[in-house]
């Protein structure tokens, strides 16, 4: 469509909003699984992280998209002494996920702020287009 | 004061050969005619309306999509429609102005 030029910036902001929503979903998953000691195969949950990449169509249109969700294997799992726990080993030690709730909350806040920033960029662009249309009056 | 700009021969030609309700057709000189331009803008606005309808429908029926995608589609439809309206107003103004010209 030839009117697409009017919405190019809007599409870029929208792609960022989608990406941030995906990041929030992953953070929510990390938080909810913060104490899952068995994810079915006997191993505890490992925190996940998102990787973003830019979408390039030509040189102008540069949105962002979710490239992949990777498992964090660098952060060590937490070991706790809980003899009564069904997943405890012979020494009474339980391996807990490497999710740090405080860090996840910081990520969540960051994601939320990024979402707001892109939303604002979108709103400004819509307002600009509306103002430009007023030229016709 | 630079005086009144003379009406371009192009505009006079459009007014003389095209009526607002005429079917779209290209002019003899190759440029787009009055109704052709109008038709194109209306088609654009209509396409955006239909697209936003589909996105909203999918979202409301739980077939995916997210709030911002719906709002983006609605905004696109809104802006396209207002763009169409402005173009239509301008074209009709010019047409009527030319029709009122005393000969």
């Amino acid at each position: 469509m030839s009117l697409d030029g009017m919405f190019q910036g809007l599409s870029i902001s929208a792609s960022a909003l989608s990406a941030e929503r995906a990041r929030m979903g992953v953070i929510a998953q990390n938080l909810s699984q913060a104490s899952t000691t068995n994810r079915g195969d006997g191993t505890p949950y490992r925190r996940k992280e998102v990787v973003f990449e830019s979408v390039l169509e030509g040189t102008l249109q540069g949105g962002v998209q979710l490239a992949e969700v990777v498992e964090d294997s660098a952060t060590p799992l937490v070991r706790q002494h809980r003899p009564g726990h069904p997943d405890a080993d012979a020494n009474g030690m339980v391996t807990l996920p490497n999710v740090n709730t405080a860090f996840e909350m910081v990520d969540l806040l960051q994601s939320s702020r990024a979402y707001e920033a892109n939303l604002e960029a979108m709103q400004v662009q819509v307002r600009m287009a509306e103002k430009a249309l007023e030229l016709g009056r | 004061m630079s005086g009144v700009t003379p009406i371009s021969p192009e505009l006079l030609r459009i007014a003389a050969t095209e009526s607002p309700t005429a079917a779209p057709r290209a002019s003899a000189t190759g440029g787009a005619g009055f109704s052709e331009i109008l038709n194109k803008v209306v088609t654009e606005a209509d396409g955006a309306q239909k697209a936003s309808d589909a996105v909203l429908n999918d979202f409301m029926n739980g077939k995916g999509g997210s709030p911002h995608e719906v709002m983006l589609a609605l905004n696109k439809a809104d802006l396209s429609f207002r763009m169409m309206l402005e173009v239509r107003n301008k074209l009709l103004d010019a047409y009527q102005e030319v029709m009122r010209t005393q000969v």
Side-chain angles (χ1 to χ4, degrees):
Chain A
M1 264 208 323
S2 57
L3 274 183
D4 273 356
M6 217 161 116
F7 307 120
Q8 197 178 51
L10 280 180
S11 304
I12 294 175
S13 295
S15 74
L17 291 182
S18 298
E20 290 303 333
R21 272 176 68 89
R23 169 146 75 147
M24 277 191 223
V26 169
I27 295 170
Q29 191 189 10
N30 286 342
L31 283 170
S32 69
Q33 306 279 334
S35 39
T36 304
T37 51
N38 188 349
R39 55 178 170 182
D41 57 358
T43 59
Y45 175 84
R46 281 180 180 274
R47 76 177 281 267
K48 299 200 170 46
E49 224 166 336
V50 291
V51 181
F52 288 168
E53 67 180 7
S54 54
V55 190
L56 285 174
E57 287 168 28
T59 47
L60 271 176
Q61 181 110 5
V64 64
Q65 69 179 11
L66 182 71
E68 55 177 337
V69 179
V70 292
E71 219 170 64
D72 180 3
S73 49
T75 313
L77 295 163
V78 180
R79 300 272 289 164
Q80 265 183 12
H81 185 65
R82 287 193 198 173
H85 199 286
D87 288 326
D89 60 14
N91 301 320
M93 297 299 280
V94 175
T95 312
L96 290 163
N98 53 356
V99 177
N100 186 325
T101 316
F103 287 170
E104 296 302 327
M105 288 313 288
V106 174
D107 282 353
L108 191 66
L109 213 61
Q110 210 171 33
S111 185
S112 154
R113 291 285 179 259
Y115 191 90
E116 281 170 22
N118 283 294
L119 209 58
E120 189 61 35
M122 218 163 154
Q123 279 165 355
V124 167
Q125 287 171 75
V126 170
R127 276 204 295 276
M128 275 167 64
E130 281 172 350
K131 284 281 167 204
L133 281 178
E134 282 175 19
L135 273 176
R137 270 160 232 162
Chain B
M1 283 280 282
S2 57
V4 180
T5 321
I7 293 170
S8 69
E10 179 75 17
L11 210 59
L12 282 172
R13 184 195 51 74
I14 290 170
T17 56
E18 306 274 2
S19 79
T21 49
R25 65 185 175 96
S27 68
T29 50
F34 181 98
S35 55
E36 201 179 337
I37 299 172
L38 201 59
N39 223 320
K40 194 159 180 245
V41 187
V42 170
T43 313
E44 296 264 344
D46 186 46
Q49 295 275 355
K50 280 180 180 148
S52 82
D53 236 32
V55 172
L56 186 63
N57 215 3
D58 280 0
F59 182 67
M60 286 307 187
N61 286 319
K63 283 182 197 157
S66 40
H68 70 265
E69 279 162 3
V70 177
M71 291 320 289
L72 176 72
L74 288 175
N75 258 321
K76 276 185 180 176
D78 177 40
L79 286 172
S80 301
F81 180 77
R82 280 154 66 170
M83 180 85 164
M84 183 270 280
L85 214 60
E86 295 296 340
V87 172
R88 175 246 179 224
N89 287 345
K90 277 282 167 211
L91 285 176
L92 219 61
D93 277 358
Y95 173 76
Q96 279 167 354
E97 198 65 44
V98 172
M99 287 318 269
R100 271 201 297 272
T101 311
Q102 296 279 330
V103 196

